[in-house]
């Protein structure tokens, strides 16, 4: 293989090296997934160490759910890899660039308007990706998630949501991309510094406005009502000097019965968001009915809720506090800041290397751009293809670091006296989300950003009586 590459031109060496590495990564991922699927297929009885944690019925449901997800992931991953390979081999990227150029000409713009040309290319690429991914998304939502009782969406809600996502994404992506391209083209020898600073500002702004202005376009956010839970959350936040300003409940049950919680905001303006599916007292699956509303979507949603009335979902107040103790531990221990610093150091390094490589004509020629060197295409080639080996190594390192942070956040909640409640909350959340507690060691090491359930429970078990 290496001898064959050596006989090719530099452009061909770059192209086929990228293609070869892509398939190496896919083969590795497929091998790991196959190891895990073997676990799903063969582990049909509750292991002895799980006897007091998970009943046989839940164990079987989680096994079948994860097996379905893994099988779906195999086929969708194979399709994605084959599609990407065909796009490269058939010159799909320069073809789409030329299509964007024709659209530009018909709109009365010449080829010198590279930024507008790039925006049209981005829009066409997004539409193509959305169209080819739609069947997979539909199958995942309305077959797999539906089969295992998680999907709460109607078909109308799904498509309305998809259209909103496309519109919101383009409203953010196109202005940001145009400004970034302008900075790169006009920034001189040190454009990489300005480009990095620009992306830093954009990321901070998006994090700040996401939950207040973007997320409410998709889900309903309401303040957590006054009561014991809100008072306890505020007291816990005050005890660790967390500058909490508001606590929201998000109507996640309209989309899925999976649960979550997170906090956001900078400096002295922190907010906590709880999914209604996390709260035992709020989850629609635990209620005999829903509030009277009108419209076909709400009627269908009621029907889906009634089908799941046999489930008991969510955590009690003390368990919710334990989960939040874990999340606030990430803040108190500086994990959020550390992740931002790592992300920005990586971003700066990538822009610096991009500045070094962007002048290499052979990179563009390797992917079919013989007469032009568009900045956007250079970003795509270098960040997506040339940096691919580096990105894989970085991703693994961040996964290892994330697991370490999760153990530390669990320990923080334990030190708040929440060990017993976090222990029971983790079991409940694993049951609600049909997590399978048995993992192949290699698959777990490579993929799990959170430690396996048994490892987390074992770390908490020592002080569970606290």
């Amino acid at each position: 293989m290496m001898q064959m590459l050596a006989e090719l031109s530099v452009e061909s060496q770059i192209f086929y090296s990228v293609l070869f590495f892509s398939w190496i990564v896919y083969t590795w991922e497929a091998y790991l997934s196959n190891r895990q699927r073997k676990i799903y297929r063969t582990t049909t009885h509750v292991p002895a160490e799980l006897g007091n944690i998970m009943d046989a019925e839940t164990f079987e449901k989680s096994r079948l759910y994860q097996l379905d997800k893994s099988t779906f992931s195999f086929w969708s991953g194979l399709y994605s890899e084959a599609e990407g390979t065909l796009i490269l081999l058939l010159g799909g990227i320069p073809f789409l660039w030329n299509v964007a150029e024709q659209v530009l000409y018909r709109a009365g713009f010449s080829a010198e308007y590279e930024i507008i040309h790039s925006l049209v290319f981005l829009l066409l690429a997004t539409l193509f990706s959305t169209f080819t991914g739609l069947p997979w998304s539909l199958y995942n939502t309305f077959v797999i998630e539906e089969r295992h009782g998680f999907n709460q969406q109607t078909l109308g809600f799904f498509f309305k949501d998809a259209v909103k996502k496309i519109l919101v994404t383009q409203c953010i992506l196109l202005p940001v991309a145009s400004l970034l391209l302008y900075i790169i083209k006009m920034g001189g020898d040190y454009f990489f510094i300005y480009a990095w600073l620009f992306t830093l500002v954009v990321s901070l702004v998006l994090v700040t406005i996401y939950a207040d202005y973007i997320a409410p376009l998709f889900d309903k956010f309401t303040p957590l009502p006054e009561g014991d839970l809100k008072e306890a959350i505020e007291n816990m936040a005050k005890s660790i000097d967390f500058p909490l300003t508001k606590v929201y409940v998000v109507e996640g049950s309209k989309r899925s019965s999976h649960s979550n919680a997170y906090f956001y905001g900078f400096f002295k303006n922190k907010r906590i968001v709880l999914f209604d599916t996390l709260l035992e007292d709020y989850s629609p699956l635990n209620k005999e009915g829903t509030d009277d509303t009108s419209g076909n979507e709400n009627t269908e949603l009621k029907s889906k809720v009634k089908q799941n009335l046999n489930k008991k979902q969510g955590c009690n107040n003390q368990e919710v506090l334990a989960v939040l103790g874990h999340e606030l531990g990430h803040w108190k221990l500086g994990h959020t800041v550390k992740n931002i610093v790592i992300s920005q150091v990586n971003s700066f390094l990538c822009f610096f290397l991009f500045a070094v490589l962007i002048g290499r004509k052979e990179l563009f020629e390797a992917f079919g751009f013989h007469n032009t060197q568009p900045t956007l295409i250079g970003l795509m080639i270098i960040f997506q293809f040339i940096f691919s080996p580096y990105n894989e190594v970085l991703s693994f390192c961040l996964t290892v670091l994330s697991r370490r942070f999760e153990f530390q956040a669990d320990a923080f909640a334990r030190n708040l006296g929440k060990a017993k409640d976090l222990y029971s909350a983790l079991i409940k959340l694993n049951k609600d989300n049909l997590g399978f507690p048995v993992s192949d060691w290699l698959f777990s090491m490579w993929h799990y950003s959170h430690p396996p359930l048994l490892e987390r429970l074992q770390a908490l078990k020592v002080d569970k009586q606290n």
Side-chain angles (χ1 to χ4, degrees):
M1 180 68 185
M2 298 303 297
Q3 184 177 356
M4 291 175 59
L5 281 175
E7 296 174 355
L8 299 173
S9 64
V10 174
E11 294 80 7
S12 296
Q13 288 180 22
I14 294 172
F15 179 82
Y16 287 109
S17 294
V18 166
L19 207 56
F20 179 69
F21 184 78
S22 178
W23 277 95
I24 287 291
V25 171
Y26 169 78
T27 303
W28 169 246
E29 296 283 358
Y31 167 70
L32 293 178
S33 296
N34 186 62
R35 289 174 61 106
Q36 184 62 23
R37 272 196 304 280
K38 186 177 180 181
I39 296 290
Y40 296 145
R41 292 192 185 103
T42 58
T43 312
T44 56
H45 296 90
V46 183
E49 63 269 25
L50 295 172
N52 297 325
I53 297 173
M54 182 176 285
D55 60 86
E57 181 183 2
T58 302
F59 185 85
E60 180 64 7
K61 285 181 178 179
S62 65
R63 184 183 75 85
L64 294 176
Y65 175 54
Q66 297 298 335
L67 182 58
D68 275 356
K69 284 181 61 179
S70 181
T71 303
F72 171 81
S73 179
F74 168 79
W75 289 111
S76 62
L78 179 60
Y79 170 81
S80 179
E81 187 65 24
E83 179 190 77
T85 299
L86 286 175
I87 287 173
L88 291 179
L89 289 175
L90 299 177
I93 298 175
F95 172 78
L96 194 62
W97 183 260
N98 291 333
V99 171
E101 186 175 41
Q102 294 303 314
V103 172
L104 210 63
Y105 283 150
R106 292 185 180 184
F109 295 95
S110 62
E112 66 186 32
Y113 291 92
E114 184 187 318
I115 292 180
I116 299 177
H117 190 167
S118 299
L119 299 185
V120 175
F121 174 85
L122 275 177
L123 179 60
L124 293 175
T126 301
L127 293 175
F128 173 81
S129 176
T130 301
F131 179 77
T132 57
L134 184 60
W136 298 99
S137 183
L138 284 168
Y139 186 87
N140 181 58
T141 301
F142 293 100
V143 177
I144 295 180
E145 295 295 302
E146 183 84 21
R147 177 188 298 159
H148 296 279
F150 288 113
N151 176 47
Q152 304 298 326
Q153 298 182 71
T154 64
L155 196 60
F157 181 91
F158 176 90
F159 279 108
K160 186 167 70 173
D161 211 40
V163 171
K164 283 197 293 185
K165 285 179 182 177
I166 292 174
L167 293 175
V168 171
T169 299
Q170 296 309 308
C171 286
I172 297 172
L173 175 64
L174 297 183
V176 169
S178 62
L179 287 171
L180 177 61
L181 293 174
Y182 180 79
I183 290 170
I184 292 174
K185 294 181 73 67
M186 305 301 293
D189 293 338
Y190 298 100
F191 77 84
F192 62 93
I193 297 177
Y194 309 133
W196 167 69
L197 288 173
F198 172 71
T199 57
L200 170 61
V201 171
V202 169
S203 63
L204 294 178
V205 169
L206 288 177
V207 168
T208 302
I209 69 172
Y210 173 77
D212 285 329
Y213 299 102
I214 300 176
L217 296 174
F218 301 93
D219 296 303
K220 182 180 178 182
F221 286 70
T222 56
L224 180 67
E226 297 294 334
D228 293 341
L229 179 58
K230 183 178 181 182
E231 183 180 352
I233 291 174
E234 291 173 342
N235 289 337
M236 182 170 67
K238 188 180 298 183
S239 72
I240 62 170
D241 300 320
F242 181 77
L244 178 64
T245 55
K246 293 181 181 179
V247 183
Y248 292 108
V249 178
V250 60
E251 193 180 11
S253 57
K254 193 174 182 181
R255 179 173 285 104
S256 170
S257 58
H258 289 295
S259 53
N260 199 4
Y262 62 92
F263 69 87
Y264 69 99
F266 289 101
F267 308 114
K268 301 297 182 180
N269 189 27
K270 306 284 188 183
R271 292 96 181 273
I272 288 175
V273 176
L274 306 171
F275 278 52
D276 58 354
T277 48
L278 175 67
L279 307 176
E280 197 173 72
D281 295 335
Y282 284 81
S283 176
L285 299 183
N286 299 336
K287 298 179 180 180
E288 291 299 325
T290 56
D291 294 337
D292 290 334
T293 51
S294 58
N296 292 333
E297 287 184 1
N298 288 306
T299 301
E300 292 183 46
L301 176 59
K302 288 181 184 181
S303 177
K304 288 180 179 292
V305 169
K306 289 178 180 178
Q307 292 172 13
N308 292 283
L309 286 178
N310 60 322
K311 294 185 178 181
K312 184 69 172 177
Q313 186 187 46
C315 300
N316 61 41
N317 287 358
Q318 291 304 313
E319 291 163 343
V320 171
L321 288 172
V323 171
L324 286 179
H326 168 95
E327 296 299 329
L328 295 180
H330 285 304
W331 170 80
K332 189 68 174 180
L333 298 172
H335 297 164
T336 306
V337 173
K338 290 174 184 176
N339 282 329
I340 291 174
V341 170
I342 292 171
S343 173
Q344 293 309 315
V345 169
N346 173 63
S347 178
F348 180 83
L349 175 63
C350 288
F351 273 117
F352 172 75
L353 294 176
F354 170 77
V356 172
L357 296 173
I358 188 62
R360 304 293 295 271
K361 188 178 180 181
E362 58 267 28
L363 290 178
F364 291 88
E365 292 179 341
F367 293 90
F369 289 83
H370 301 283
N371 301 318
T372 60
Q373 299 179 38
T375 303
L376 176 66
I377 300 301
L379 283 167
M380 181 184 299
I381 291 172
I382 294 171
F383 276 77
Q384 184 175 343
F385 299 138
I386 305 304
F387 288 172
S388 184
Y390 164 75
N391 290 335
E392 289 296 322
V393 173
L394 178 65
S395 176
F396 173 70
C397 292
L398 291 178
T399 298
V400 173
L401 181 64
S402 175
R403 284 199 298 269
R404 178 179 177 84
F405 284 170
E406 292 301 318
F407 277 125
Q408 291 176 353
D410 281 352
F412 183 85
R414 181 188 64 204
N415 292 335
L416 290 177
K418 306 294 183 183
K420 181 179 179 181
D421 293 316
L422 183 58
Y423 188 96
S424 60
L426 290 175
I427 294 173
K428 283 187 177 182
L429 292 175
N430 184 80
K431 180 179 179 180
D432 288 346
N433 293 290
L434 291 184
F436 195 69
V438 183
S439 306
D440 173 76
W441 71 271
L442 192 56
F443 180 87
S444 171
M445 179 188 72
W446 188 261
H447 280 294
Y448 285 5
S449 60
H450 286 56
L453 176 65
L454 286 179
E455 292 184 22
R456 296 181 70 178
L457 294 182
Q458 187 60 39
L460 288 168
K461 196 172 184 179
V462 178
D463 294 324
K464 190 175 69 171
Q465 69 275 10
N466 290 343

